[in-house]
Each structure stands twice: as C-alpha cells, then as structure tokens.
C-alpha cells in the first residue's frame, strides 16, 4: 500500500511531517510520500522522504507567470505530482496537458476524481494512478471506504476496464490503520490523506498508527 500525505496549505511544519514520514517509511517498509506546497518541495525532499508536488501546470518553459512548471518541481526534488484535486479542479484538456508536462519531467502522476465515472475518464488519459475522493467526505474523518464502499470498488472496476496498469488510491476521510486496511480490502493499492496527518498533534504517531496493520 502506498501512503501519500497531502499537506495542502495547512499551517503545519512540512519538514517535521516529512521527517516523521521518512522515519516511519524506513522503519516499516511501507511506501510513504509527502506532497507539500511548491515552495517547500526542496526542504521536504532534503529529509529523504519521497516528495510529490500538489500540482503542475500544463505548460512548457516560457511566458507562464504564476504557473507551476513540472521541470521546476522535479529540479526541487519532487518525483511525482497530484493533478485535479477537488480543491484545484482542471478541465480535461488541462489534465491531459499536465500529464504531458509531468511526463517530460519524469514525474509519476496521480489524477484525482470524485466518482467511478470520472475515474474511468481519468484512467483513459494514462496516468500512473488515480485517486477517488468524494469531495463531501474530504476532511471529515469519515472514510469513503465506510461511508460508501461501492464508490471504491466501482472506481477500481472503472479503472481496470479502461487501463489495467493504472493504480487506484482511496482518499477522503482516511486517518487510521483500519481505514487503510478497508481501502486495501476494497481493491485500492494506496491511500491519499491530508488532515489525518497534517493536522495531527503528533504526525509521527498518526503515521505509525496508519501503517501498523501492515506490519
């Protein structure tokens, strides 16, 4: 199982979270990555944790003020990027363009989507992975694997029908080891979470609890 922690724009210490994630990953053997703000990619990558961007833009080098250049994210230390998070939605053409940009920079990609139908459309664009996240459950502490497990199984099936090589992650409300196990049982190959770690009083303890059932 792949654990990807999105720090969003939360007022946490990204280096503290990243250091904890690196240690937990090393101790457990579980793949754990952290996606900080773009300006913090370098500092997070220096901890040794697998580092992802939260977004890259569908642009090349040139006159694109305010864009996040995929090559710049990679040069700072990112090895992957999220795309189309529910808090930063993109048009289909822009997702496709951002995937091309990520491919140029050799970044792994996960495209987020709300439901199985959108997961199928995202998988058709040939990302490395997709993440199903019903927006109404994001940040609630109620995992989609419990609130509506059919969304997870439907997303897994939808992706497989289009592209059997695309990994499917489960997001929204993930915070405990039980949530991770439930996601795995439903066919997901990883989880995408944010507040369960980024807003935790003790991020290291939160991560240790998350991966404990896998040990």
């Amino acid at each position: 199982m792949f654990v990807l922690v999105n720090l969003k724009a939360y007022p946490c210490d990204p280096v503290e979270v990243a250091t904890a994630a690196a240690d937990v990953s090393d101790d457990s053997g579980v793949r754990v990555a952290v996606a900080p703000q773009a300006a913090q990619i370098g500092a997070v990558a220096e901890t040794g944790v697998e580092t992802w961007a939260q977004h890259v833009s569908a642009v090349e080098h040139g006159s694109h003020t305010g864009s996040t250049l995929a090559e710049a994210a990679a040069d700072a230390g990112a090895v992957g990027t999220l795309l189309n998070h529910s808090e930063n939605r993109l048009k289909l053409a822009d997702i496709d363009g951002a995937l091309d940009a990520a491919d140029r920079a050799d970044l792994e990609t996960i495209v987020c989507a709300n439901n199985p139908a959108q997961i199928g459309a995202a998988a058709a664009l040939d990302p490395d992975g997709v993440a199903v996240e019903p927006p109404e459950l994001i940040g609630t502490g109620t995992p989609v694997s419990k609130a509506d497990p059919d969304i997870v199984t439907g997303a897994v099936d939808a992706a497989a029908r289009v592209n059997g090589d695309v990994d499917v992650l489960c997001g929204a409300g993930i915070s405990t080891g039980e949530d991770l196990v439930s996601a795995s049982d439903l066919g997901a190959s990883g989880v995408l979470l944010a507040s369960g770690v980024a807003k935790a009083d003790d991020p290291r303890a939160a991560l240790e609890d998350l991966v404990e059932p896998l040990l």
Side-chain angles (χ1 to χ4, degrees):
M1 291 291 281
F2 177 33
V3 176
L4 178 51
V5 182
N6 177 16
L7 300 186
K8 300 190 176 183
Y10 287 135
C12 61
D13 181 340
V15 172
E16 177 189 4
V17 176
T19 300
D23 290 345
V24 170
S25 182
D26 288 343
D27 292 343
S28 66
V30 177
R31 183 186 177 193
V32 182
V34 175
Q37 287 282 300
Q40 298 162 339
I41 288 173
V44 165
E46 286 180 1
T47 69
V49 76
E50 182 178 329
T51 305
W52 281 52
Q54 295 181 8
H55 167 80
V56 298
S57 304
V59 299
E60 301 179 1
H61 288 279
S63 303
H64 303 294
T65 301
S67 299
T68 301
L69 188 66
E71 287 85 350
D75 288 345
V79 299
T81 185
L82 292 170
L83 293 170
N84 197 49
H85 190 276
S86 64
E87 295 157 1
N88 190 14
R89 284 291 181 209
L90 302 174
K91 296 179 180 178
L92 194 63
D94 290 331
I95 298 173
D96 198 24
L99 286 168
D100 287 342
D103 187 58
R104 284 198 321 268
D106 199 26
L107 294 173
E108 190 173 344
T109 51
I110 291 176
V111 177
C112 301
N114 291 354
N115 54 54
Q118 291 182 15
I119 286 289
L125 298 176
D126 201 28
D128 295 294
V130 291
V132 61
E133 284 198 307
E136 65 273 13
L137 295 177
I138 293 175
T140 65
T142 301
V144 62
S145 55
K146 289 184 178 178
D148 194 345
D150 289 345
I151 289 180
V152 181
T153 55
V156 171
D157 291 343
R161 284 196 297 270
V162 174
N163 187 340
D165 293 329
V166 173
D167 292 327
V168 179
L169 278 69
C170 173
I174 303 293
S175 61
T176 69
E178 182 183 355
D179 299 338
L180 191 149
V181 170
S182 295
S184 177
D185 289 344
L186 293 170
S189 56
V191 293
L192 175 62
L193 72 158
S195 58
V197 172
K199 297 175 74 173
D201 292 334
D202 187 340
R204 183 183 300 269
L207 284 164
E208 288 173 342
D209 174 70
L210 191 70
V211 304
E212 192 277 331
L214 300 180
L215 304 182

